[in-house]
Amino acid sequence: MGLTIAQKIIQSHLVSGEMTVGSDIGLKIDQTLTQDATGTMAYLEFEAMGVPRVKTERSVAYIDHNTLQTGFENADDHRFIQSIAKKHGIWFSRPGNGICHQVHLERFGIPGKTLIGSDSHTPTGGGIGMLAMGAGGMDVAVAMGGGPYYISMPKMVRINLHGKLPAWVSAKDIILEVLRLLSVKGGVGKIIEYGGDGVASLTVPERATITNMGAELGATTSIFPSDEVTRAFLEAQGRGSDWTELSSDPDAVYDETYEIDLASLVPMAACPHSPDNVKTIDEIGKIKVDQVCIGSCTNSSYLDLMRVASILKGKTVHPDVSLAIAPGSKQVYNMLAQNGALADLIAAGARILECACGPCIGMGLSPNSHGISLRTFNRNFEGRSGTADGQVYLVSPETAAASALTGVLTNPQALGEESAIPMPEHFLINDNMIVPPAPAEEAGSVEILRGPNIKPFPTSGPLEETIAAKAILKVGDNITTDHIMPAGSKILPYRSNIPYMSNFCFAVCDKEFPERCRREGKGIVVGGENYGQGSSREHAALVPLYLGIKAVLVKSFARIHCANLANAGILPLIFKDKADYDAIDQMDELELPDIRGAIANHGKVIVKNVTKGTEFEAEAVLTDRQRAMVLAGGLLNYTRENN
Ligand code: MIC
Ligand code: SF4
């Protein structure tokens, strides 16, 4: 039987398990990446493992999230990461060099290789045919130490793209169409592979926009073939020798197949507050716009910003609109500066931000009260922009730029003829902001620089015989990691300070939650479908652990968050019968008798609702390895016990 692209990469990296859907597989990891908001914790965990040098082919530490530096905290963490990188064999991308996913695609990604990153948008690398997955910091630490990365073997989904996009419709509109079709949970447990004759018409940055936002489908990853377009991109990056061809076998078998006619697509937007709340621009109508933000790892490539510059050239941003633009990398920024496009953006009135995540993660540029913000980003979860009642619409760079000029949501197809933006034959290559690690023989003398913001991470003990705790919080469907552990400029600087962060846990849903946990000393969180969607931040598990959360009982989980809970030693459980969710009220007394025995022996997980006098069954969402991990009290304890 023929293989899909992903199955070929999995087969060549398989360390354990079998390639049958749902089985636990271990994969050899060739490359890792971290960013600073998850990196400090990941490197503290890496240090705790006691491995002197990374064992991957390439590991890169990026600084791109926490660049506001409103106090000493971020700068201290950056110095910590830089010194760790130097000592342990990791390349260091300095602040200002760009967003991890954009820079990794430009400078390090290689078709056919495996990559895990402590950021959920790591699948961006699928744009050049990498098997690139988001993971929790602990999993990245283990991979840096040479350990495999474990996932359950995903289903294979094929999306065939046919024909060519019409003028003014772009890659963002393709992925918004996929989100409309499949929803934010439609990709869970699946790898999305793109094929069909339309693929050849898409450049690598366009493909990367699509694989990037596959994270919003909940997919394990998304991937494009590696073809002549990929070769031309790598050659233009001076890395032609990294290219290999990669395609699926003609008789490859997919679990699901979808067809999209590119020519029939129109400009679209994801309306507040979910990336799958997709409507056409014309359906939404000419709503008044207060702010436009262009950038993020989804849409900040050279081609994206050249398109924006060509729309804004010689014009002025509408007086009621604030337009901010963050180029994705120093390479992009520098090229725009050299060819004059930057001058066009500045002249039009754009507020140019540094090459970083910026407003995408609420680091500045929060919209006004009730403000409508059009963003070329990938997430519009409630409150993520930093303004609780901000209304964020996710759009293409073309729609964003057109609307910035008119002051109302505008279909860019109204702009007339679209000018051609050619893919450069040579990108500007200058890696002077990427610091290589110290040679192994000098590593011993590198001092690790630790600031006072770094506090020890919480540890957990072995799983108790019986868990008895209240349903300390009950939430609904699609709870995101931004609900569980918000980011933004006030909280993000404290990613290495779990005690401080705990004051904000679930703040979006219930401000009393941290206080209640402290009073009760322990608790069980109850939730609906797709619990933990969004970010890979393991803080959404470590902070609840610190607050005494013993188990999370929901209808279904998002992949990375579920793994992060197990890594932290918190028990992830799903209702066997989803109707049992309705019968639990917040603060009901719950009991999981002999839970240790049930986890160890694959026994029935019984949940007693002591308050209501009822009882029902739940299931642990754990592989055999994760069972051992939870019994030991998390991945670090498990690794220590098994070394
Ligand atoms: C995000 O887009 O939510 C982030 C910030 O990049 C996160 C990582 C983090 O929380 O640090 C992600 O996507 O994994
Ligand atoms: Fe950064 Fe936003 Fe991309 Fe996350 S989604 S990596 S915050 S640009």
PDB file of all heavy atoms in Angstrom, residues 418-450:
ATOM      1  N   GLU A 418      -4.781  43.878  -9.684  1.00  0.00           N
ATOM      2  CA  GLU A 418      -3.784  43.520  -8.678  1.00  0.00           C
ATOM      3  C   GLU A 418      -2.403  43.523  -9.325  1.00  0.00           C
ATOM      4  O   GLU A 418      -2.215  42.933 -10.392  1.00  0.00           O
ATOM      5  CB  GLU A 418      -4.108  42.113  -8.162  1.00  0.00           C
ATOM      6  CG  GLU A 418      -3.330  41.712  -6.947  1.00  0.00           C
ATOM      7  CD  GLU A 418      -3.659  40.267  -6.530  1.00  0.00           C
ATOM      8  OE1 GLU A 418      -3.889  39.414  -7.406  1.00  0.00           O
ATOM      9  OE2 GLU A 418      -3.670  40.021  -5.319  1.00  0.00           O
ATOM     10  N   SER A 419      -1.431  44.191  -8.688  1.00  0.00           N
ATOM     11  CA  SER A 419      -0.092  44.189  -9.290  1.00  0.00           C
ATOM     12  C   SER A 419       0.626  42.893  -8.915  1.00  0.00           C
ATOM     13  O   SER A 419       0.417  42.339  -7.836  1.00  0.00           O
ATOM     14  CB  SER A 419       0.710  45.407  -8.828  1.00  0.00           C
ATOM     15  OG  SER A 419       0.630  45.514  -7.430  1.00  0.00           O
ATOM     16  N   ALA A 420       1.467  42.421  -9.840  1.00  0.00           N
ATOM     17  CA  ALA A 420       2.169  41.154  -9.595  1.00  0.00           C
ATOM     18  C   ALA A 420       3.332  41.397  -8.641  1.00  0.00           C
ATOM     19  O   ALA A 420       4.084  42.356  -8.798  1.00  0.00           O
ATOM     20  CB  ALA A 420       2.681  40.600 -10.915  1.00  0.00           C
ATOM     21  N   ILE A 421       3.440  40.548  -7.634  1.00  0.00           N
ATOM     22  CA  ILE A 421       4.584  40.656  -6.714  1.00  0.00           C
ATOM     23  C   ILE A 421       5.430  39.409  -6.928  1.00  0.00           C
ATOM     24  O   ILE A 421       5.044  38.313  -6.499  1.00  0.00           O
ATOM     25  CB  ILE A 421       4.125  40.702  -5.228  1.00  0.00           C
ATOM     26  CG1 ILE A 421       3.014  41.723  -5.007  1.00  0.00           C
ATOM     27  CG2 ILE A 421       5.313  40.893  -4.293  1.00  0.00           C
ATOM     28  CD1 ILE A 421       3.441  43.145  -4.810  1.00  0.00           C
ATOM     29  N   PRO A 422       6.562  39.535  -7.606  1.00  0.00           N
ATOM     30  CA  PRO A 422       7.342  38.322  -7.880  1.00  0.00           C
ATOM     31  C   PRO A 422       8.063  37.815  -6.634  1.00  0.00           C
ATOM     32  O   PRO A 422       8.428  38.598  -5.751  1.00  0.00           O
ATOM     33  CB  PRO A 422       8.352  38.775  -8.940  1.00  0.00           C
ATOM     34  CG  PRO A 422       8.435  40.262  -8.790  1.00  0.00           C
ATOM     35  CD  PRO A 422       7.177  40.742  -8.130  1.00  0.00           C
ATOM     36  N   MET A 423       8.241  36.514  -6.576  1.00  0.00           N
ATOM     37  CA  MET A 423       9.032  35.883  -5.514  1.00  0.00           C
ATOM     38  C   MET A 423      10.499  36.243  -5.787  1.00  0.00           C
ATOM     39  O   MET A 423      10.966  36.085  -6.914  1.00  0.00           O
ATOM     40  CB  MET A 423       8.808  34.371  -5.637  1.00  0.00           C
ATOM     41  CG  MET A 423       9.356  33.577  -4.512  1.00  0.00           C
ATOM     42  SD  MET A 423       8.361  33.808  -3.039  1.00  0.00           S
ATOM     43  CE  MET A 423       9.290  32.796  -1.937  1.00  0.00           C
ATOM     44  N   PRO A 424      11.238  36.747  -4.801  1.00  0.00           N
ATOM     45  CA  PRO A 424      12.625  37.120  -5.088  1.00  0.00           C
ATOM     46  C   PRO A 424      13.482  35.909  -5.478  1.00  0.00           C
ATOM     47  O   PRO A 424      13.271  34.818  -4.959  1.00  0.00           O
ATOM     48  CB  PRO A 424      13.126  37.696  -3.761  1.00  0.00           C
ATOM     49  CG  PRO A 424      12.064  37.507  -2.767  1.00  0.00           C
ATOM     50  CD  PRO A 424      10.850  36.962  -3.415  1.00  0.00           C
ATOM     51  N   GLU A 425      14.407  36.144  -6.404  1.00  0.00           N
ATOM     52  CA  GLU A 425      15.314  35.047  -6.778  1.00  0.00           C
ATOM     53  C   GLU A 425      16.342  34.809  -5.691  1.00  0.00           C
ATOM     54  O   GLU A 425      16.866  33.718  -5.531  1.00  0.00           O
ATOM     55  CB  GLU A 425      15.992  35.359  -8.105  1.00  0.00           C
ATOM     56  CG  GLU A 425      15.147  34.853  -9.250  1.00  0.00           C
ATOM     57  CD  GLU A 425      15.715  35.250 -10.589  1.00  0.00           C
ATOM     58  OE1 GLU A 425      16.956  35.292 -10.720  1.00  0.00           O
ATOM     59  OE2 GLU A 425      14.896  35.525 -11.481  1.00  0.00           O
ATOM     60  N   HIS A 426      16.669  35.879  -4.975  1.00  0.00           N
ATOM     61  CA  HIS A 426      17.608  35.756  -3.849  1.00  0.00           C
ATOM     62  C   HIS A 426      17.064  36.568  -2.684  1.00  0.00           C
ATOM     63  O   HIS A 426      16.814  37.761  -2.836  1.00  0.00           O
ATOM     64  CB  HIS A 426      18.991  36.306  -4.220  1.00  0.00           C
ATOM     65  CG  HIS A 426      19.582  35.599  -5.383  1.00  0.00           C
ATOM     66  ND1 HIS A 426      20.088  34.335  -5.286  1.00  0.00           N
ATOM     67  CD2 HIS A 426      19.719  35.979  -6.671  1.00  0.00           C
ATOM     68  CE1 HIS A 426      20.504  33.950  -6.482  1.00  0.00           C
ATOM     69  NE2 HIS A 426      20.292  34.934  -7.344  1.00  0.00           N
ATOM     70  N   PHE A 427      16.891  35.920  -1.565  1.00  0.00           N
ATOM     71  CA  PHE A 427      16.551  36.674  -0.355  1.00  0.00           C
ATOM     72  C   PHE A 427      17.841  37.288   0.192  1.00  0.00           C
ATOM     73  O   PHE A 427      18.948  36.815  -0.111  1.00  0.00           O
ATOM     74  CB  PHE A 427      15.930  35.741   0.698  1.00  0.00           C
ATOM     75  CG  PHE A 427      14.524  35.330   0.374  1.00  0.00           C
ATOM     76  CD1 PHE A 427      14.266  34.117  -0.260  1.00  0.00           C
ATOM     77  CD2 PHE A 427      13.450  36.142   0.704  1.00  0.00           C
ATOM     78  CE1 PHE A 427      12.969  33.734  -0.564  1.00  0.00           C
ATOM     79  CE2 PHE A 427      12.146  35.766   0.406  1.00  0.00           C
ATOM     80  CZ  PHE A 427      11.909  34.558  -0.231  1.00  0.00           C
ATOM     81  N   LEU A 428      17.680  38.305   1.005  1.00  0.00           N
ATOM     82  CA  LEU A 428      18.855  38.940   1.614  1.00  0.00           C
ATOM     83  C   LEU A 428      19.326  38.047   2.773  1.00  0.00           C
ATOM     84  O   LEU A 428      18.590  37.852   3.737  1.00  0.00           O
ATOM     85  CB  LEU A 428      18.446  40.311   2.141  1.00  0.00           C
ATOM     86  CG  LEU A 428      19.529  41.104   2.841  1.00  0.00           C
ATOM     87  CD1 LEU A 428      20.572  41.576   1.838  1.00  0.00           C
ATOM     88  CD2 LEU A 428      18.913  42.309   3.540  1.00  0.00           C
ATOM     89  N   ILE A 429      20.511  37.520   2.640  1.00  0.00           N
ATOM     90  CA  ILE A 429      20.965  36.581   3.673  1.00  0.00           C
ATOM     91  C   ILE A 429      22.033  37.226   4.551  1.00  0.00           C
ATOM     92  O   ILE A 429      23.084  37.652   4.066  1.00  0.00           O
ATOM     93  CB  ILE A 429      21.496  35.290   3.029  1.00  0.00           C
ATOM     94  CG1 ILE A 429      20.321  34.607   2.321  1.00  0.00           C
ATOM     95  CG2 ILE A 429      22.083  34.338   4.084  1.00  0.00           C
ATOM     96  CD1 ILE A 429      20.730  33.633   1.276  1.00  0.00           C
ATOM     97  N   ASN A 430      21.680  37.358   5.826  1.00  0.00           N
ATOM     98  CA  ASN A 430      22.617  37.910   6.796  1.00  0.00           C
ATOM     99  C   ASN A 430      22.235  37.331   8.160  1.00  0.00           C
ATOM    100  O   ASN A 430      21.297  37.804   8.799  1.00  0.00           O
ATOM    101  CB  ASN A 430      22.514  39.441   6.796  1.00  0.00           C
ATOM    102  CG  ASN A 430      23.434  40.052   7.828  1.00  0.00           C
ATOM    103  OD1 ASN A 430      24.129  39.340   8.557  1.00  0.00           O
ATOM    104  ND2 ASN A 430      23.452  41.377   7.906  1.00  0.00           N
ATOM    105  N   ASP A 431      22.955  36.291   8.574  1.00  0.00           N
ATOM    106  CA  ASP A 431      22.599  35.594   9.816  1.00  0.00           C
ATOM    107  C   ASP A 431      23.333  36.167  11.035  1.00  0.00           C
ATOM    108  O   ASP A 431      23.571  35.450  12.003  1.00  0.00           O
ATOM    109  CB  ASP A 431      22.893  34.088   9.672  1.00  0.00           C
ATOM    110  CG  ASP A 431      21.938  33.414   8.701  1.00  0.00           C
ATOM    111  OD1 ASP A 431      20.794  33.896   8.565  1.00  0.00           O
ATOM    112  OD2 ASP A 431      22.326  32.424   8.063  1.00  0.00           O
ATOM    113  N   ASN A 432      23.651  37.452  10.969  1.00  0.00           N
ATOM    114  CA  ASN A 432      24.457  38.024  12.059  1.00  0.00           C
ATOM    115  C   ASN A 432      23.700  38.140  13.386  1.00  0.00           C
ATOM    116  O   ASN A 432      24.299  38.441  14.407  1.00  0.00           O
ATOM    117  CB  ASN A 432      25.018  39.405  11.654  1.00  0.00           C
ATOM    118  CG  ASN A 432      23.910  40.416  11.392  1.00  0.00           C
ATOM    119  OD1 ASN A 432      22.771  40.039  11.150  1.00  0.00           O
ATOM    120  ND2 ASN A 432      24.236  41.695  11.421  1.00  0.00           N
ATOM    121  N   MET A 433      22.369  37.885  13.361  1.00  0.00           N
ATOM    122  CA  MET A 433      21.614  37.927  14.622  1.00  0.00           C
ATOM    123  C   MET A 433      21.353  36.515  15.158  1.00  0.00           C
ATOM    124  O   MET A 433      20.543  36.323  16.049  1.00  0.00           O
ATOM    125  CB  MET A 433      20.299  38.679  14.419  1.00  0.00           C
ATOM    126  CG  MET A 433      20.487  40.154  14.130  1.00  0.00           C
ATOM    127  SD  MET A 433      21.069  41.055  15.586  1.00  0.00           S
ATOM    128  CE  MET A 433      19.506  41.297  16.429  1.00  0.00           C
ATOM    129  N   ILE A 434      22.034  35.554  14.554  1.00  0.00           N
ATOM    130  CA  ILE A 434      21.908  34.174  15.060  1.00  0.00           C
ATOM    131  C   ILE A 434      23.267  33.784  15.643  1.00  0.00           C
ATOM    132  O   ILE A 434      24.275  33.744  14.932  1.00  0.00           O
ATOM    133  CB  ILE A 434      21.486  33.213  13.937  1.00  0.00           C
ATOM    134  CG1 ILE A 434      20.093  33.613  13.417  1.00  0.00           C
ATOM    135  CG2 ILE A 434      21.475  31.765  14.447  1.00  0.00           C
ATOM    136  CD1 ILE A 434      19.630  32.876  12.195  1.00  0.00           C
ATOM    137  N   VAL A 435      23.271  33.542  16.951  1.00  0.00           N
ATOM    138  CA  VAL A 435      24.548  33.288  17.639  1.00  0.00           C
ATOM    139  C   VAL A 435      24.771  31.780  17.736  1.00  0.00           C
ATOM    140  O   VAL A 435      23.927  31.056  18.284  1.00  0.00           O
ATOM    141  CB  VAL A 435      24.524  33.878  19.076  1.00  0.00           C
ATOM    142  CG1 VAL A 435      25.873  33.729  19.748  1.00  0.00           C
ATOM    143  CG2 VAL A 435      24.075  35.330  19.047  1.00  0.00           C
ATOM    144  N   PRO A 436      25.898  31.301  17.201  1.00  0.00           N
ATOM    145  CA  PRO A 436      26.152  29.857  17.307  1.00  0.00           C
ATOM    146  C   PRO A 436      26.524  29.472  18.739  1.00  0.00           C
ATOM    147  O   PRO A 436      26.992  30.319  19.510  1.00  0.00           O
ATOM    148  CB  PRO A 436      27.351  29.620  16.377  1.00  0.00           C
ATOM    149  CG  PRO A 436      27.803  30.954  15.904  1.00  0.00           C
ATOM    150  CD  PRO A 436      26.967  32.026  16.518  1.00  0.00           C
ATOM    151  N   PRO A 437      26.321  28.213  19.107  1.00  0.00           N
ATOM    152  CA  PRO A 437      26.707  27.778  20.460  1.00  0.00           C
ATOM    153  C   PRO A 437      28.225  27.717  20.617  1.00  0.00           C
ATOM    154  O   PRO A 437      28.951  27.682  19.627  1.00  0.00           O
ATOM    155  CB  PRO A 437      26.102  26.378  20.551  1.00  0.00           C
ATOM    156  CG  PRO A 437      25.898  25.919  19.139  1.00  0.00           C
ATOM    157  CD  PRO A 437      25.690  27.141  18.309  1.00  0.00           C
ATOM    158  N   ALA A 438      28.684  27.696  21.862  1.00  0.00           N
ATOM    159  CA  ALA A 438      30.129  27.550  22.113  1.00  0.00           C
ATOM    160  C   ALA A 438      30.554  26.144  21.700  1.00  0.00           C
ATOM    161  O   ALA A 438      29.763  25.203  21.816  1.00  0.00           O
ATOM    162  CB  ALA A 438      30.402  27.753  23.601  1.00  0.00           C
ATOM    163  N   PRO A 439      31.781  25.984  21.206  1.00  0.00           N
ATOM    164  CA  PRO A 439      32.251  24.629  20.903  1.00  0.00           C
ATOM    165  C   PRO A 439      32.240  23.766  22.176  1.00  0.00           C
ATOM    166  O   PRO A 439      32.425  24.299  23.276  1.00  0.00           O
ATOM    167  CB  PRO A 439      33.691  24.838  20.423  1.00  0.00           C
ATOM    168  CG  PRO A 439      33.921  26.308  20.362  1.00  0.00           C
ATOM    169  CD  PRO A 439      32.786  27.012  21.005  1.00  0.00           C
ATOM    170  N   ALA A 440      32.032  22.466  21.992  1.00  0.00           N
ATOM    171  CA  ALA A 440      31.861  21.564  23.143  1.00  0.00           C
ATOM    172  C   ALA A 440      32.990  21.720  24.168  1.00  0.00           C
ATOM    173  O   ALA A 440      32.750  21.732  25.383  1.00  0.00           O
ATOM    174  CB  ALA A 440      31.773  20.131  22.659  1.00  0.00           C
ATOM    175  N   GLU A 441      34.212  21.899  23.678  1.00  0.00           N
ATOM    176  CA  GLU A 441      35.348  21.938  24.622  1.00  0.00           C
ATOM    177  C   GLU A 441      35.349  23.216  25.475  1.00  0.00           C
ATOM    178  O   GLU A 441      35.973  23.262  26.529  1.00  0.00           O
ATOM    179  CB  GLU A 441      36.696  21.723  23.911  1.00  0.00           C
ATOM    180  CG  GLU A 441      37.068  22.665  22.790  1.00  0.00           C
ATOM    181  CD  GLU A 441      36.369  22.384  21.448  1.00  0.00           C
ATOM    182  OE1 GLU A 441      35.434  21.550  21.384  1.00  0.00           O
ATOM    183  OE2 GLU A 441      36.730  23.049  20.461  1.00  0.00           O
ATOM    184  N   GLU A 442      34.621  24.252  25.020  1.00  0.00           N
ATOM    185  CA  GLU A 442      34.569  25.490  25.825  1.00  0.00           C
ATOM    186  C   GLU A 442      33.293  25.591  26.663  1.00  0.00           C
ATOM    187  O   GLU A 442      33.138  26.495  27.480  1.00  0.00           O
ATOM    188  CB  GLU A 442      34.629  26.717  24.904  1.00  0.00           C
ATOM    189  CG  GLU A 442      36.000  26.931  24.279  1.00  0.00           C
ATOM    190  CD  GLU A 442      35.939  27.926  23.122  1.00  0.00           C
ATOM    191  OE1 GLU A 442      35.030  28.783  23.099  1.00  0.00           O
ATOM    192  OE2 GLU A 442      36.806  27.819  22.228  1.00  0.00           O
ATOM    193  N   ALA A 443      32.371  24.658  26.446  1.00  0.00           N
ATOM    194  CA  ALA A 443      31.047  24.766  27.070  1.00  0.00           C
ATOM    195  C   ALA A 443      31.130  24.775  28.594  1.00  0.00           C
ATOM    196  O   ALA A 443      30.362  25.467  29.269  1.00  0.00           O
ATOM    197  CB  ALA A 443      30.153  23.633  26.592  1.00  0.00           C
ATOM    198  N   GLY A 444      32.083  24.037  29.141  1.00  0.00           N
ATOM    199  CA  GLY A 444      32.196  23.914  30.594  1.00  0.00           C
ATOM    200  C   GLY A 444      32.378  25.254  31.282  1.00  0.00           C
ATOM    201  O   GLY A 444      31.915  25.458  32.416  1.00  0.00           O
ATOM    202  N   SER A 445      33.020  26.193  30.612  1.00  0.00           N
ATOM    203  CA  SER A 445      33.309  27.469  31.265  1.00  0.00           C
ATOM    204  C   SER A 445      32.201  28.506  31.049  1.00  0.00           C
ATOM    205  O   SER A 445      32.303  29.634  31.530  1.00  0.00           O
ATOM    206  CB  SER A 445      34.650  28.018  30.759  1.00  0.00           C
ATOM    207  OG  SER A 445      34.550  28.207  29.366  1.00  0.00           O
ATOM    208  N   VAL A 446      31.148  28.146  30.310  1.00  0.00           N
ATOM    209  CA  VAL A 446      30.064  29.123  30.097  1.00  0.00           C
ATOM    210  C   VAL A 446      29.198  29.198  31.361  1.00  0.00           C
ATOM    211  O   VAL A 446      28.687  28.186  31.843  1.00  0.00           O
ATOM    212  CB  VAL A 446      29.183  28.734  28.878  1.00  0.00           C
ATOM    213  CG1 VAL A 446      28.013  29.706  28.720  1.00  0.00           C
ATOM    214  CG2 VAL A 446      30.014  28.681  27.604  1.00  0.00           C
ATOM    215  N   GLU A 447      29.039  30.420  31.866  1.00  0.00           N
ATOM    216  CA  GLU A 447      28.264  30.604  33.098  1.00  0.00           C
ATOM    217  C   GLU A 447      26.791  30.825  32.740  1.00  0.00           C
ATOM    218  O   GLU A 447      26.476  31.545  31.797  1.00  0.00           O
ATOM    219  CB  GLU A 447      28.813  31.853  33.800  1.00  0.00           C
ATOM    220  CG  GLU A 447      28.280  32.056  35.196  1.00  0.00           C
ATOM    221  CD  GLU A 447      28.502  33.514  35.650  1.00  0.00           C
ATOM    222  OE1 GLU A 447      29.389  34.197  35.057  1.00  0.00           O
ATOM    223  OE2 GLU A 447      27.781  33.944  36.548  1.00  0.00           O
ATOM    224  N   ILE A 448      25.895  30.200  33.492  1.00  0.00           N
ATOM    225  CA  ILE A 448      24.460  30.402  33.246  1.00  0.00           C
ATOM    226  C   ILE A 448      24.003  31.628  34.040  1.00  0.00           C
ATOM    227  O   ILE A 448      24.227  31.728  35.244  1.00  0.00           O
ATOM    228  CB  ILE A 448      23.647  29.156  33.672  1.00  0.00           C
ATOM    229  CG1 ILE A 448      24.118  27.902  32.912  1.00  0.00           C
ATOM    230  CG2 ILE A 448      22.152  29.375  33.453  1.00  0.00           C
ATOM    231  CD1 ILE A 448      23.949  27.954  31.407  1.00  0.00           C
ATOM    232  N   LEU A 449      23.363  32.570  33.335  1.00  0.00           N
ATOM    233  CA  LEU A 449      22.957  33.837  33.959  1.00  0.00           C
ATOM    234  C   LEU A 449      21.492  33.753  34.373  1.00  0.00           C
ATOM    235  O   LEU A 449      20.602  33.702  33.530  1.00  0.00           O
ATOM    236  CB  LEU A 449      23.160  34.980  32.958  1.00  0.00           C
ATOM    237  CG  LEU A 449      24.569  35.071  32.349  1.00  0.00           C
ATOM    238  CD1 LEU A 449      24.611  36.096  31.221  1.00  0.00           C
ATOM    239  CD2 LEU A 449      25.604  35.408  33.417  1.00  0.00           C
ATOM    240  N   ARG A 450      21.245  33.706  35.671  1.00  0.00           N
ATOM    241  CA  ARG A 450      19.879  33.547  36.184  1.00  0.00           C
ATOM    242  C   ARG A 450      19.415  34.822  36.876  1.00  0.00           C
ATOM    243  O   ARG A 450      20.123  35.320  37.759  1.00  0.00           O
ATOM    244  CB  ARG A 450      19.853  32.437  37.231  1.00  0.00           C
ATOM    245  CG  ARG A 450      19.560  31.088  36.684  1.00  0.00           C
ATOM    246  CD  ARG A 450      19.743  30.042  37.770  1.00  0.00           C
ATOM    247  NE  ARG A 450      20.804  29.128  37.351  1.00  0.00           N
ATOM    248  CZ  ARG A 450      20.593  28.093  36.560  1.00  0.00           C
ATOM    249  NH1 ARG A 450      19.396  27.815  36.153  1.00  0.00           N
ATOM    250  NH2 ARG A 450      21.586  27.331  36.183  1.00  0.00           N
TER     251      ARG A 450
END
